[in-house]
Structure formats: structure tokens, C-alpha cells
Amino acid sequence: MDHLLNARLLFGFTMAFHVVFAVLGVGIPLMILIAEIIYQKTNDRDYDIMAKRWTKTFAILLGVGIPTGTIASVQLSILWPTFMEAVGKVISLPFQIEIYAFFLESIFMTIYVYAADRISAPLRILSLSLVTIGAILSAVLITNVHAWQETPSGFDYVNGEFINVNPWKAFFNPIFFTTASHVVSSAFMVGAFMTVTVAAYKMLRKDITEREYKFHQKALMVALLIGGISGVITALNGHDSAVKLHIYQPEKLAAAEGLFETTSNAPLAVGGIVDPKTQQVKWALQIPSLLSILATGKPSGVVRGLNEFPKDEWPPLVTHILFDAMVGIGALLIFLAVLGWTLKLRKKENHFPKWLIWGYVFSGPLAIAGIELGWSFSEIGRQPWTIYRVMKTSEAVTTSGNMGLFFFIFLGLYVSLTVITLLVIWYYFKRHPLKKDLEKLN
């Protein structure tokens, strides 16, 4: 296999694994905080139990997320030394600040885990708020390096050298705020819908009592509310992302929509497969002028096509499928959230139909798939560049060999970590069933 492809597969697989723990590490603290606030406002002990049980899950996931993040950072240095040299010279600031964000998150999570019953209600909420803020900052700071790769700034690149470096200008690159808000809202969405999955699965158990069903339904409704709101924010932010792509990465937007010729009143291609021979999107639903509206704000806006760019700088055309699948999943999850709350508010449903609960069971894995597709779209859509229009991926890769061997070693490691994580969570909650926590309330 090609050396560059090996390196990309190895790092891509590492990040695909780590991103699951990373987004849950942002989304679950918010769920814990919301449950704690509801408990303090209503004195409904069900929400106190939710907060504590979700905290145990978060602690386990955090324990796995830390080493996977460490592996990813080590692989960055080993696989992409030229890129990391550029990072060290220009955009190392987010990595330096992220250390303090992680300390904030871990310290106050420790306080909540071990002292929640011994501190006042305001301090409990403050601790969880700082955990959530720390998690958000960690995600924003790390992904800011990715944002800089997309819109590099804060330096001059002359004869292969980075000069006149301005680290703060690099930090606040043109898409910093767009990327930051998109990452946070999508992480909240994933955390919420994974909570929906667990609650819905428990609601389908044949031996569940009415008391347990009501508990899980409460968790389900809270998670659907947070997931739905986060989904809408993510969708609105996606529009802003389209505008930024039009300005800063027009060939990426063109590849995402299979647009080859520069045109006004550009249609939005929904579905279909991009055919480079005919330069069309086969079997797609073409919505007139919508791409122009999304990218420029007006139907007559001109959107640049791929043929304006050298063919060796085209992003892979598979980005169209990745983009459509990501958007489709997001729309479906928002629909499920709205449907659940509509049924609850209009019909005062105490029991959802089984087909809908099964839909909620699959919502969490779909949310994970959506975040993976989004990350893949962003990374693959930037190719062939590691730093957009500054450094190609082929220029950043290591010259060391044995990439294939390392791939299989890490594949085995990640499979093992996944199995161990699931077993630990299963074993813990088997030993601490919900029934025991509910019995303590009586």
C-alpha cells in the first residue's frame, strides 16, 4: 500500500476512534449539569440519580479518552513531522492553553464525584458548570488547530519558511468562531442522543417496572430537548459554514455539491453520485438556486465550480456523499426530537409507541455516525492540502516505514479498548442497578 495512504489511514482511524470519546466528553457533562439544575429546582430525586449515574459513565469514558488523545498527539509528531514543525512555529498556542482547560475539567469533576453529597447545591452546580466549561474549552482549543489548517493565517510563508508569525492572528483565524460553535453544538447533540439511546433501550426491556419506565422517560425527554435544540443550532451553524467555504475554500464547496462549472442560481444537489466523466450528479434532487442562497445570501449569487481549479487540487468527490449523509442524519435526529416532544405535549403520552422507541435506540449511533461523517468531510475535503494552499499532505508525511504494521497494532489496541470500556460500563451498572437507587427513595 502507498506510504502516504498508510499514514493517512493510521491517523484517520486513530482520530475516528478518539473523536467518539472527545464529543461524549463534551456532551455528557452538559447532560449531567442539566439534570443537577432540574433536581435543585424541583427537588425531584430522579434527576439527582440521573446526574450521578451519568457521572459514572462520564468518568469511565474520560479514563479511556485521555490515553486515546495521547496516542493521537504522539502520532501527529511521528506521522506528520513537517506539519508539527509548522504547528510549533505558528499555532502552538491552543495546545498550551488546552492543558489548563483539561485541569479545570478534571479537578472539578473530581470534586463532584467524591464530594457531591457534602457540598451545597450552588457549589454542586458551580462544579459541574466548570467541568462543562473545561470540556468545551478543550474541544474548541484542539479543533482550532484544524480551523487554522483550513484558513491558515498569522504568518508569511517565504521560500518554505514561516516568518512574521503572529500567534494571536493564527489563533483567531477566519473560521475560528464558526468551527468552535459547530464543534460544541454537535458534541452536545451527540451526548444528548447517546443518552436517548440508553434510556430508550431500557424502556424496551420486558421486565421493566412502571417506576423505572417513568424514570427513563424523564431522562429521554430531557435528552430529546437538549438534542433537538443542539441539532437546530448545529444546522444554523452549518449555513454559516457554507458561507465560509464559499469565501475561503470554494473548491471544497464545489466538490461537496458536485458543481463543476461556475454558475449563478446554482442548485443544491441532494443525494446522488458525482460522475466526473459527465461532470454531473446522477440521480440527485436538484433544488434551484438554493446553493447560491446558502453560499452568497441571494439566488443570483455566483458559486465557483471545480473546473476553475487545477484538477490535481480537487478534493476527492466522495465528499458529496459524506456531506449529504451528515446533513441527512442531522435532519432525522431533529425530526425525532420534535416528534417526541410533540407527542408528549399534545397527547400527554405516558408510553411512546414501540416503533418510535426503537427509532430512539438507533438515534445515538446515528449521531456518532454523523459526527464521524462530518469530521471525515472536513478532513478529506481539504485534500490534497494539510495546511490549505501552504503545505500538501504528501509534504508533511514522515519518511519512516512500517506504517502497515503500526496500523494493525493500533487496530488491535482500539478494538481491545472498545471491548474493555463496554464491559466496564456494563459490569458497573449491573452491580449498581437503577432499581436499588430508586428503592432508596422510598
Side-chain angles (χ1 to χ4, degrees), residues 239-435:
H239 166 65
D240 188 41
S241 297
V243 173
K244 294 295 195 297
L245 283 178
H246 170 68
I247 297 171
Y248 297 106
Q249 292 179 293
E251 65 268 52
K252 187 175 182 178
L253 179 62
E257 290 302 324
L259 185 69
F260 288 87
E261 297 297 335
T262 298
T263 181
S264 59
N265 299 103
L268 184 75
V270 179
I273 299 174
V274 179
D275 185 351
K277 293 182 179 180
T278 62
Q279 298 197 348
Q280 293 179 342
V281 186
K282 292 183 175 180
W283 311 298
L285 172 64
Q286 301 281 352
I287 304 177
S289 301
L290 186 55
L291 180 58
S292 287
I293 294 172
L294 292 174
T296 69
K298 52 186 180 181
S300 60
V302 176
V303 181
R304 297 172 71 185
L306 284 170
N307 288 332
E308 279 202 21
F309 305 94
K311 197 167 185 178
D312 63 348
E313 294 182 5
W314 287 7
L317 298 180
V318 71
T319 52
H320 173 70
I321 297 174
L322 297 174
F323 180 77
D324 275 6
M326 173 188 67
V327 173
I329 287 173
L332 176 60
L333 293 176
I334 293 172
F335 170 75
L336 287 173
V338 171
L339 179 60
W341 269 98
T342 300
L343 290 175
K344 184 68 176 176
L345 294 175
R346 287 188 176 182
K347 297 185 178 180
K348 306 299 181 183
E349 289 283 355
N350 291 321
H351 289 76
F352 286 134
K354 186 168 289 188
W355 63 265
L356 181 57
I357 297 178
W358 271 113
Y360 290 140
V361 169
F362 290 106
S363 66
L366 279 173
I368 293 291
I371 204 80
E372 294 283 12
L373 288 164
W375 175 80
S376 299
F377 165 72
S378 188
E379 289 294 317
I380 293 173
R382 192 181 60 248
Q383 298 306 312
W385 304 99
T386 288
I387 304 174
Y388 182 61
R389 292 186 179 173
V390 173
M391 180 186 296
K392 289 192 173 182
T393 308
S394 57
E395 298 168 342
V397 71
T398 180
T399 56
S400 301
N402 298 320
M403 290 295 108
L405 175 61
F406 280 120
F407 177 82
F408 288 107
I409 290 173
F410 281 102
L411 175 61
L413 174 63
Y414 297 140
V415 170
S416 300
L417 279 174
T418 300
V419 172
I420 291 170
T421 302
L422 294 175
L423 285 175
V424 169
I425 293 174
W426 174 81
Y427 183 72
Y428 177 83
F429 287 108
K430 185 179 180 182
R431 291 194 61 189
H432 301 83
L434 174 63
K435 187 177 294 185

Side-chain angles (χ1 to χ4, degrees), residues 226-237:
I226 302 303
I229 293 173
S230 301
V232 171
I233 294 173
T234 301
L236 294 174
N237 183 264

Side-chain angles (χ1 to χ4, degrees), residues 57-128:
T57 301
F58 173 69
I60 294 169
L61 295 175
L62 186 64
V64 181
I66 293 171
T68 61
T70 303
I71 291 171
S73 63
V74 170
Q75 282 191 5
L76 272 172
S77 299
I78 294 174
L79 298 177
W80 313 104
T82 309
F83 166 68
M84 289 305 291
E85 182 181 356
V87 167
K89 291 178 178 179
V90 183
I91 192 72
S92 61
L93 194 60
F95 286 116
Q96 297 168 12
I97 302 174
E98 196 273 337
I99 296 172
Y100 299 99
F102 173 72
F103 283 163
L104 181 71
E105 177 185 8
S106 57
I107 288 170
F108 283 95
M109 176 51 69
T110 302
I111 291 173
Y112 183 78
V113 168
Y114 291 104
D117 294 330
R118 295 189 289 273
I119 58 178
S120 65
L123 284 178
R124 287 171 66 156
I125 293 174
L126 176 62
S127 295
L128 286 174

